[in-house]
Amino acid sequence: MIFNVTHITKYEYNAPVSYCHNIATLRPRESKGQELLSYTIDISPEPAEISERVDFFGNYITRFSIQTEHNILKVTTKSKINREYAKFHDSFNSDACKGITLNDALKALQSMQAEILDAKQYILESIFIRRTDKAIRDYAELSFKGGRSVFEAAYELMQRIYTDFDFDSEFSTISTPIEEVMKEKKGVCQDFAQIAIACIRSVGLPARYISGYIETLPAPGKEKLIGADASHAWFAIYIPGFGWVDFDPTNNQIPKDQHIIVGWGRDYYDVPPLKGVVYGSGQSKLKVAVDIAAVL
């Protein structure tokens, strides 16, 4: 499927901002089952400096600074993406995927092969996912057992998070500790992805955070609203000998073509859509609108 994606980020300041420097992770990356056909970024006011590079994880990063006084910052990106991830779903039923147990995986991860070494960095602590507490480890071990398939354990973990946790957009912020999310059993997609990652790392397996979009489909008989799609987050687990498999605990499914990847890292801190430093004395109001349109 081919999608056109428009992402608008708008900051409105109640006092003039004299200078800002920002880092944007908004350009969708090439990945398994995903091809970026075109991409543009428009920034207002016009930046005095702008550059693009690829970060450590292979994500596209845009750095820009605005050195003129402004009350509004608006960043608009437009992408065209060919997404064909659903065609890989049949491979998840293979023995190469489902036949690897936790014990098999832990033994395979002792290898010094380049692919294994790359995956093992996603076992380490990260900014938002430190050494996990006993509650998270205990929660993980309900699914992950030595002789059980890693794929089946991850699938069950996804289902349990979907069932046990409530979606509550008012509960958490990006800085809410995962231990608090675990205790209260509520949060948003970023929280659910990071809880899953913490669980998987606690048993010694690699897991990474994926930032992207999801196309929201309207109820039967209703028209789709412009800008009603959303930024989204999910996780992937590494199965030695097979590769990475994505899981979406917010929607209780293995991602399909409607899930569009922007970037991945160890947790949210590595791939926020936009972060930066602002010189000003006022407060800001953030508005975000995402529109995903399938090309017929």
Side-chain angles (χ1 to χ4, degrees):
M1 298 182 68
I2 295 178
F3 295 96
N4 286 324
V5 181
T6 301
H7 183 152
I8 301 174
T9 305
K10 187 177 182 180
Y11 281 95
E12 297 180 347
Y13 306 102
N14 62 3
V17 169
S18 59
Y19 175 88
C20 70
H21 181 77
N22 298 274
I23 300 175
T25 310
L26 291 168
R27 175 174 171 169
R29 65 178 293 159
E30 301 277 340
S31 61
K32 183 178 181 179
Q34 179 171 300
E35 178 187 7
L36 180 62
L37 303 178
S38 65
Y39 172 80
T40 61
I41 183 169
D42 180 73
I43 302 167
S44 177
E46 184 176 351
E49 298 177 355
I50 184 168
S51 63
E52 186 177 79
R53 68 176 179 86
V54 176
D55 73 2
F56 178 81
F57 302 103
N59 307 308
Y60 294 102
I61 303 297
T62 302
R63 296 175 179 267
F64 65 91
S65 63
I66 297 173
Q67 301 174 15
T68 55
E69 188 174 278
H70 57 283
N71 291 85
I72 295 175
L73 169 63
K74 185 177 181 182
V75 180
T76 303
T77 62
K78 295 184 177 182
S79 310
K80 177 175 283 189
I81 296 142
N82 183 22
R83 178 80 174 158
E84 297 180 291
Y85 189 75
K87 71 180 183 181
F88 295 104
H89 280 211
D90 287 345
S91 68
F92 302 146
N93 292 316
S94 67
D95 185 64
C97 180
K98 286 190 172 180
I100 305 300
T101 67
L102 174 59
N103 288 338
D104 294 334
L106 293 176
K107 183 177 180 180
L109 287 168
Q110 296 175 20
S111 166
M112 299 299 288
Q113 295 177 358
E115 181 179 316
I116 296 293
L117 291 176
D118 181 71
K120 285 170 70 173
Q121 67 183 305
Y122 295 98
I123 303 176
L124 304 175
E125 284 190 344
S126 54
I127 298 296
F128 289 153
I129 306 176
R130 300 292 185 177
R131 291 295 179 192
T132 53
D133 64 6
K134 186 175 184 298
I136 289 177
R137 176 66 183 258
D138 289 347
Y139 192 79
E141 290 181 343
L142 291 174
S143 294
F144 288 88
K145 303 182 185 301
R148 189 181 189 191
S149 161
V150 169
F151 176 89
E152 292 177 357
Y155 196 96
E156 181 181 274
L157 175 65
M158 172 189 72
Q159 292 179 315
R160 288 172 52 222
I161 293 174
Y162 175 77
T163 301
D164 296 342
F165 289 70
D166 294 325
F167 189 93
D168 185 346
S169 61
E170 302 297 322
F171 170 71
S172 62
T173 67
I174 58 172
S175 60
T176 301
I178 60 171
E179 292 81 8
E180 187 174 342
V181 175
M182 186 72 204
K183 179 182 177 182
E184 299 298 330
K185 297 289 194 299
K186 55 185 176 182
V188 294
C189 58
Q190 292 90 342
D191 300 310
F192 303 155
Q194 292 185 146
I195 286 289
I197 292 167
C199 286
I200 293 166
R201 290 180 185 169
S202 76
V203 298
L205 298 179
R208 65 190 182 195
Y209 180 96
I210 301 180
S211 174
Y213 306 113
I214 185 170
E215 181 190 27
T216 56
L217 301 177
K222 300 291 184 179
E223 290 188 4
K224 183 175 179 178
L225 299 176
I226 301 297
D229 297 300
S231 294
H232 195 46
W234 58 98
F235 74 93
I237 187 170
Y238 180 74
I239 301 176
F242 181 78
W244 291 94
V245 183
D246 294 8
F247 293 90
D248 179 359
T250 305
N251 293 293
N252 193 29
Q253 63 180 243
I254 292 178
K256 302 176 183 177
D257 291 341
Q258 286 75 17
H259 289 70
I260 296 169
I261 295 173
V262 172
W264 60 61
R266 295 161 298 179
D267 58 32
Y268 175 87
Y269 184 86
D270 289 331
V271 282
L274 190 65
K275 63 181 179 181
V277 177
V278 172
Y279 288 86
S281 58
Q283 296 181 333
S284 64
K285 181 185 295 184
L286 171 64
K287 296 180 181 179
V288 178
V290 178
D291 183 61
I292 302 174
V295 179
L296 301 179

